[in-house]
């Protein structure tokens, strides 16, 4: 017969329909069959072994007649079956075997086969009812075996559970938990008898199979044949008198099974589909292919929920490879500092605009490294009273990249548009219909890399952006913000930098070249200087004419800001008036507002008391200006009609404003930055969910018996997290110090962590601890900051640019100068090894005592860039770098050879283990990878789920901890960054 698994024949059941514990029993039995763990002869088919396992566990079969042994002519009898039920089953099976298969038999034969299958299903129900007493003993035996199995695997289960919660578990803790698991297993109640839903489901499945077989025959038959089949069905029921007790229950459940029989069976999330040779299917080829892909996905990984975190557990690459867990989302494990006053990241809001009661601010958040910024859109739909972080997506469904930076935003009739700098250079656009969800668009060659896009505004037909390229003004127009057209050839204008609109009329500010003549003694010198001007377009930006804004009412200098507000187009200038006689003159400073209903003719609308104009903007709902005030703050002035002005708050003096707008009701929104933090006037961004994220970075991991320590930074300050034996991760106690720790190690005198303070001239930052939980700052010589540390038989070593320090007791340090910049150091087999760079070339140094160091000779071409990590296993040393394949030495650093990891992998971290080496790497697709090697020469990539996907995955810290390996890193995309922690048994 063709083998099929129970899940394939069984109609799916919901959790409410299951008998308590039956799902778990079915899963164990399924795995047992798949892995030949049922302790049965291998000559039996998977179908027969599954049947025997289900029956031994006291579960009703519910899948038709009992399967036969391979090569046997008779069905294998069940030792605990009642005789009448077994006879009925054999009779039903025999009826099925003897049923004629020729089409000439007509509908009566087919109906007879249907009746026979129904009889077989009901006979199975009779079996279950009759065998309930005998099954109890089997269930008790199965429970005892299961308790023994749990005792064997309890330690492994404890370790896996600890990986799910981020705990570190030693063998002692695992044994203690195993004893608890064994006791719990002994007290676990026996699995209850499967009830009628299973029987009814099996009966419905038999009916459905018979119906499909009838449909495939396609032969008409007389109504009398159906009557004959009905009589046979009644006779079959009479052959199983004990099944009558189960019949009413089956009858009650039958409507449910019948209702679902005509629908596609829904997969049970707790079940695992097991496919084997000869898998039978009636599906069409495309549908079967889709089902196969689904089953392969299930075989590749299982979703597990542990500690509130969802992750994936892989099955491995084959029967000979151990299943490995995936990484955990570890933000909760590596907690930020709850008492910190800053988040530690660099944030900025570059622009803000409003349309009625909807306000949008755009900007970035990142760690200060160019190209790693994340896009930020904040929106308010109630005039700025409440704010939320908008969602950003890509138009093609791909991950939103890091490095994009929106610089300007505008609202139009058809929605919103923002423009900014793309992560790879050039320009990128975002559009939104509701300001809460934004779509990223690659705008293509319409925007060139040399373009300087400065402003964007709405038009009657869409949007217009202005700027310049190569000394000439350029305009871009778009109907929807996603598709753009370039307008060049605008003569006489160097570039545009502001724009405002009303319908199809655009008014822009820019610069143009102007010749001026000055006298130098008796000579006249003519030169070209940039001058400011204003231009107007009536055709959406295709043609332009210069307009004049006269100096009047004491105004002077260039205009500042440009918008469309009450009274039409508007801009402002500085103004002053001097009065009094000579020797007693007094100068009054103020601002002057100019407006124009059509952008052609301009006049003075009003003056306001304020000078030193920092920012001007507005909408038809009002105008506002930020001017100098006191030494501590700027003043905000607002007007609703362009004539009368009033004070409306202040802006702290450290703020650098970037945009100003007025929402419905006169609410003012001002964007900018305050130091490294974003600024939005009147808004505490820390209370806006997702708007402010704490900086968090794990740069180094180290382990000692009973404890693992992670070192790095959070909220812009040094941070250490520790995981005691079997306990969750927690923040260690240490003095609050700005900076970051980049290396941590454990030695004979305790723990050592090294790093640097922030700034252009970083200073050493060194901390020590006896227990890994409580830390204190340590005295350390001045000079360059150490970046890595190691502990060996001669004591501790710290390495930094141009120097290595040695200490035997973590109190006194002795410096040795090096010609180069070490980036990593390790100790093994009575020696120390440091790796780094000499200029841009790789460099290696070795030492027997940590005091005297010798530079290793590296052949030309071994590596193309600096080395960044090193690990040693006895005399075998492996050094990794970001620009080439690892270097390997098998003679304690005397000679070196290159051994690539394979593929497009670039190593990011490496550690030695009792079995050799484990390395993490990045791919060209910004995914992470884990590799293992016994000798450092030949590498094998492990199948670890969760290391690829949207955005970037990278593992950058690695250590061996007892029988496990731990790695830390991040998962990042254009929306955010999350810490990762990966723990697995040593490969």
């Amino acid at each position: 017969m063709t083998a099929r698994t129970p899940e394939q024949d069984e109609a799916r059941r919901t959790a409410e329909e299951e008998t308590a514990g039956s799902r778990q029993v079915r899963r164990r039995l399924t795995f047992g069959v798949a892995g030949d763990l049922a302790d049965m002869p291998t000559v039996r088919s998977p179908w027969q072994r599954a049947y025997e396992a289900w029956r031994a566990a006291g579960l009703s079969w519910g899948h038709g007649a009992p399967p036969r042994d391979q090569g046997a002519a008779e069905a294998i009898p069940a030792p605990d079956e009642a005789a009448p039920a077994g006879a009925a089953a054999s009779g039903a099976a025999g009826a099925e075997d003897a049923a004629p298969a020729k089409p000439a038999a007509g509908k009566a034969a087919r109906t007879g086969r249907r009746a026979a299958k129904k009889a077989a299903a009901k006979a199975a129900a009779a079996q279950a009812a009759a065998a309930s007493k005998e099954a109890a003993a089997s269930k008790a035996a199965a429970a005892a075996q299961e308790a023994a199995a749990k005792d064997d695997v309890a330690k492994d289960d404890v370790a896996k559970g600890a990986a799910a919660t981020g705990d570190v578990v030693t063998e002692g803790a695992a044994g203690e938990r195993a004893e608890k698991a064994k006791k719990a297993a002994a007290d676990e109640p026996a699995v209850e008898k499967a009830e009628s839903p299973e029987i009814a489901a099996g009966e419905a499945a038999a009916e459905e199979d018979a119906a499909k077989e009838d449909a495939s025959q396609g032969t008409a038959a007389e109504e009398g044949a159906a009557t004959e089949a009905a009589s046979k069905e009644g006779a079959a029921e009479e052959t199983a008198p004990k099944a009558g007790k189960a019949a009413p229950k089956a009858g009650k459940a039958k409507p449910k099974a019948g209702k679902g029989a005509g629908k596609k069976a829904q997969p049970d999330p707790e079940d695992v589909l097991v496919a084997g040779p000869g898998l039978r299917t009636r599906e069409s080829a495309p549908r079967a292919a889709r089902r196969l892909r689904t089953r392969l996905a299930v075989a590749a990984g299982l979703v597990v929920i542990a500690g509130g975190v969802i992750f994936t557990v892989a099955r491995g690459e084959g029967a000979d490879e151990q299943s490995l867990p995936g990484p955990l989302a570890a933000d909760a494990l590596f907690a930020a500092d709850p008492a910190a006053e800053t988040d530690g990241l660099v944030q900025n809001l570059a622009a803000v605009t409003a349309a009625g009661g909807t306000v949008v601010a755009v900007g970035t958040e990142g760690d200060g490294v160019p190209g790693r910024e994340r896009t930020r859109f904040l929106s308010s739909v109630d005039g700025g009273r409440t704010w939320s972080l908008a969602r950003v997506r890509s138009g093609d469904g791909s991950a939103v990249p890091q490095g994009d930076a929106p610089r300007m935003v505008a609202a139009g009739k058809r929605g919103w548009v923002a423009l900014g700098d793309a992560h790879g250079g050039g320009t990128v656009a975002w559009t939104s219909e509701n300001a809460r969800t934004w779509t990223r668009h690659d705008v293509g060659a319409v925007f060139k890399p040399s373009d300087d896009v400065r402003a964007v505004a709405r038009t009657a037909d869409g949007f217009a952006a202005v700027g310049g390229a190569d000394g000439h003004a350029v305009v871009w127009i778009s109907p929807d913000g996603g598709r753009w057209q370039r307008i060049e050839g605008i003569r006489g204008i160097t570039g545009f930098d502001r724009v405002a609109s009303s319908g199809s009329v655009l008014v822009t500010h820019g610069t143009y070249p102007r010749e001026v003549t000055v006298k130098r003694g008796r000579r006249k010198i003519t030169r070209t200087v940039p001058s400011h001007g204003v231009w107007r377009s009536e055709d959406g930006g295709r043609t332009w004419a210069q307009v004049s804004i006269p100096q009047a009412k004491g105004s002077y200098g260039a205009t500042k800001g440009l918008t469309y507000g009450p009274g039409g187009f508007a801009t402002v200038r500085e103004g002053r008036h001097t009065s009094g006689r000579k020797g007693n003159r007094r100068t009054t400073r103020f601002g002057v507002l100019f407006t124009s209903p059509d952008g052609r003719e301009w006049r003075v609308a009003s003056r306001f008391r304020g000078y030193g104009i920092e920012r001007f903007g507005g909408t038809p709902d009002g105008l506002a200006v930020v001017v100098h005030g006191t030494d501590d703050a700027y003043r905000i002035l607002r007007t609703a009609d362009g004539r009368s002005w009033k004070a409306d708050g202040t802006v702290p003096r450290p703020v650098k404003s970037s945009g100003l707008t007025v929402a419905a009701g006169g609410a003012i929104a001002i964007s900018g930055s305050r130091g490294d933090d974003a600024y939005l006037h009147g808004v505490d961004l820390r209370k806006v969910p997702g708007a402010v994220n704490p900086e968090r970075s794990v740069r180094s991991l180290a382990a000692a018996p009973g404890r693992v320590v992670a070192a790095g930074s959070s909220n812009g300050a040094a941070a250490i997290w520790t995981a005691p034996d079997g306990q969750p991760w927690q923040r260690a106690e240490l003095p609050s110090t700005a900076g970051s720790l980049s290396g941590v190690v454990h030695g004979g005198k305790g723990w050592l962590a090294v790093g640097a303070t922030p700034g252009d001239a970083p200073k050493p930052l060194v901390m020590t601890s006896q227990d890994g939980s409580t830390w204190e700052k340590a005295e350390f010589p001045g000079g360059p900051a150490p970046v890595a540390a190691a502990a060996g038989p001669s004591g501790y070593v710290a390495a930094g640019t141009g120097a290595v320090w040695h200490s035997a007791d973590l109190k006194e340090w002795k410096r040795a100068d090096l010609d180069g910049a070490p980036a990593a150091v390790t100790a093994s087999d009575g020696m120390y090894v440091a790796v780094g760079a000499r200029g841009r070339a790789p460099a290696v140094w070795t030492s027997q005592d940590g005091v005297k160091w010798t530079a290793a000779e590296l052949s030309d071409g071994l590596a193309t860039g600096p080395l960044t990590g090193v690990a040693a296993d006895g005399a075998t040393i492996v050094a990794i770098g970001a620009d080439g394949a690892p270097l390997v030495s098998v003679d304690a650093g005397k000679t070196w050879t290159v051994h690539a990891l394979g593929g497009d992998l670039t190593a990011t971290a490496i550690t030695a283990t009792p079995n050799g080496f484990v390395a993490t790497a990045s791919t060209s697709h910004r995914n992470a990878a884990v590799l293992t090697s016994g000798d450092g020469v030949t590498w094998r990539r492990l199948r670890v789920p969760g290391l690829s996907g949207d955005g970037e995955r990278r593992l950058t810290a690695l250590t061996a901890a007892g029988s496990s390996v731990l790695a830390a890193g991040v998962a990042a995309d254009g929306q955010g960054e999350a810490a990762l922690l990966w723990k697995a048994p040593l490969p």
Side-chain angles (χ1 to χ4, degrees), residues 532-587:
H532 297 273
V534 176
W535 289 264
R536 179 179 180 272
S537 174
E538 295 181 348
D539 55 8
R542 291 173 176 81
T543 61
W544 297 86
Q546 189 170 9
V547 298
S548 175
I549 302 178
Q551 297 285 6
K553 299 294 184 179
S555 68
Y556 67 94
T559 60
K560 297 186 177 183
L562 182 62
T563 189
Y564 188 87
F569 294 95
T571 187
V572 294
R573 279 193 178 113
E574 298 280 0
R576 62 190 173 197
H577 175 70
T578 303
S579 61
R581 296 182 179 181
K582 187 176 181 180
N584 193 26
R585 291 182 177 275
R586 179 181 179 183
T587 300

Side-chain angles (χ1 to χ4, degrees), residues 710-735:
S713 62
S714 73
N715 304 91
I720 295 175
W721 299 268
T722 179
D725 185 9
Q727 301 298 317
W729 289 87
Q730 58 188 9
R731 288 182 64 90
E733 298 179 8
L734 69 160

Side-chain angles (χ1 to χ4, degrees), residues 691-705:
V692 176
N693 300 286
E695 177 267 341
R696 180 190 293 104
S697 177
V698 176
R699 292 181 171 85
S700 182
L701 290 168

Side-chain angles (χ1 to χ4, degrees), residues 730-795:
Q730 58 188 9
R731 288 182 64 90
E733 298 179 8
L734 69 160
S736 178
T737 307
S740 177
L741 297 171
S742 54
V744 63
V745 68
H746 179 264
K749 297 296 183 179
W751 295 84
L752 168 67
V754 299
T757 61
D760 297 332
K763 297 180 180 180
L765 176 58
V766 177
M767 295 191 178
T768 59
S769 173
Q770 292 300 309
D771 58 6
S773 180
T774 302
W775 295 71
E776 61 183 11
K777 292 183 68 174
E779 295 292 332
F780 196 82
V787 297
S794 299

Side-chain angles (χ1 to χ4, degrees), residues 603-631:
R603 63 179 180 84
V604 174
S606 63
R607 298 197 307 185
F608 50 87
R609 294 190 176 185
Y611 65 95
I613 299 171
E614 289 290 322
R615 188 68 52 184
F616 170 73
T619 66
D621 291 300
L623 301 172
V625 64
V626 177
V627 298
H628 285 191
T630 65
D631 293 339

Side-chain angles (χ1 to χ4, degrees), residues 390-663:
R391 178 191 173 203
V392 182
R393 62 190 181 189
S394 292
D396 59 1
S398 62
V400 177
Q402 292 180 267
D404 288 345
R407 302 298 185 194
M408 61 209 73
V409 61
K413 293 181 179 180
R414 298 177 177 86
W416 300 71
V417 68
L419 295 173
D421 302 330
H423 68 286
T427 302
V428 64
W430 297 264
T431 60
S432 176
E433 295 180 355
N434 56 17
R436 293 187 292 271
T437 299
W438 292 77
T439 302
R440 182 186 185 274
H441 302 274
D442 288 319
V443 293
V446 175
F447 292 87
K448 299 178 181 180
S450 60
D451 290 346
D452 181 17
V453 185
R454 302 296 298 274
V456 64
R458 62 179 290 177
T459 66
D461 300 322
F463 300 95
V466 299
D470 301 322
H472 300 282
V474 182
V475 176
W476 300 265
I477 58 176
S478 172
D480 55 13
R483 299 167 297 156
W484 291 84
Q485 178 184 349
R486 185 184 187 94
I487 300 175
E488 296 181 292
I490 303 173
R491 297 182 179 180
I493 307 174
T494 305
F496 295 130
D497 52 29
R498 304 174 220 153
V499 66
S501 65
S502 175
S504 61
V505 176
L506 292 175
V507 175
T508 183
H509 176 276
T511 58
Y512 66 97
R514 183 167 64 94
E515 290 186 351
V516 296
T517 302
V518 296
K519 284 187 176 183
R520 294 287 179 87
R522 296 183 178 181
R523 294 184 304 164
K524 291 184 179 181
I525 299 176
T526 301
R527 60 179 181 176
T528 302
V529 296
S531 295
H532 297 273
V534 176
W535 289 264
R536 179 179 180 272
S537 174
E538 295 181 348
D539 55 8
R542 291 173 176 81
T543 61
W544 297 86
Q546 189 170 9
V547 298
S548 175
I549 302 178
Q551 297 285 6
K553 299 294 184 179
S555 68
Y556 67 94
T559 60
K560 297 186 177 183
L562 182 62
T563 189
Y564 188 87
F569 294 95
T571 187
V572 294
R573 279 193 178 113
E574 298 280 0
R576 62 190 173 197
H577 175 70
T578 303
S579 61
R581 296 182 179 181
K582 187 176 181 180
N584 193 26
R585 291 182 177 275
R586 179 181 179 183
T587 300
T588 303
R589 302 182 64 182
F590 48 84
V592 182
L593 171 67
F594 294 84
T595 61
S596 172
D598 57 6
R600 183 183 290 110
E601 301 292 335
W602 293 78
R603 63 179 180 84
V604 174
S606 63
R607 298 197 307 185
F608 50 87
R609 294 190 176 185
Y611 65 95
I613 299 171
E614 289 290 322
R615 188 68 52 184
F616 170 73
T619 66
D621 291 300
L623 301 172
V625 64
V626 177
V627 298
H628 285 191
T630 65
D631 293 339
D632 298 328
Y634 299 100
R635 289 194 303 139
I636 303 173
L637 304 175
R638 179 172 62 88
T639 177
D641 55 10
R643 293 186 296 272
S644 59
W645 294 79
K646 64 177 182 180
D648 197 357
T650 61
V651 176
R653 177 67 74 168
V655 170
K656 295 181 179 180
S657 63
S658 60
L660 184 155
T661 192
V662 180

Side-chain angles (χ1 to χ4, degrees), residues 51 65-66 78 80-93 119-131 236 239-244:
Y51 165 72
D80 56 350
E81 286 178 346
S90 300
K122 292 186 177 182
Q127 285 181 234
T239 62
K242 289 190 177 183

